[in-house]
Amino acid sequence: MTRYDVSNDATIEATPGEIIGAFLEEAAGRSQWWQPLVRMRQRGSKPLPEIGAAVDITVTGEGLLDQRWRTARFSGRVTVFDPGRRLVLEYFDGDFRGTEEW
């Protein structure tokens, strides 16, 4: 299996609570600001952001001249949730493995 180390940082002019709230709204299907490139769907009955709740994510990229990049599919579960401050997902299935912190 090919392994990659990826670090992705961004500065967003919002509070941590606003950022986490926007992510959770998107994952719940109540907003669509990432679509059609990113789609999220709750997996199972445990709702986000409960510890252990899972989400399936599909990312489709676009390249030059409307070329479509490969679609990536992966699943993550909430491992840390500090309301208004921090959300950590562990990617456990699909094209990515690792953690993501919001």
Side-chain angles (χ1 to χ4, degrees):
M1 175 190 327
T2 303
R3 293 181 55 97
Y4 299 94
D5 289 321
V6 178
S7 178
N8 188 4
D9 294 307
T11 300
I12 301 171
E13 291 192 31
T15 67
E18 290 170 330
I19 294 166
I20 292 167
F23 175 86
L24 294 173
E25 289 292 304
E26 188 77 12
R30 291 187 292 266
S31 70
Q32 297 179 351
W33 57 272
W34 270 345
Q35 291 186 22
L37 302 179
V38 177
R39 295 189 183 273
M40 292 184 263
R41 182 176 21 189
Q42 178 180 311
R43 176 190 270 199
S45 61
K46 189 177 282 193
L48 292 170
E50 284 186 25
I51 301 296
V55 61
D56 293 321
I57 302 170
T58 302
V59 179
T60 304
E62 291 186 358
L64 299 174
L65 302 175
D66 292 330
Q67 289 177 315
R68 300 296 282 187
W69 294 346
R70 184 173 164 252
T71 297
R73 292 178 179 85
F74 47 100
S75 299
R77 73 173 55 91
V78 177
T79 57
V80 176
F81 179 60
D82 183 0
R85 298 191 48 128
R86 186 172 176 226
L87 173 67
V88 178
L89 298 173
E90 172 193 15
Y91 294 123
F92 64 90
D93 189 26
D95 296 317
F96 295 112
R97 299 290 196 286
T99 58
E100 178 174 58
E101 183 169 341
W102 293 81

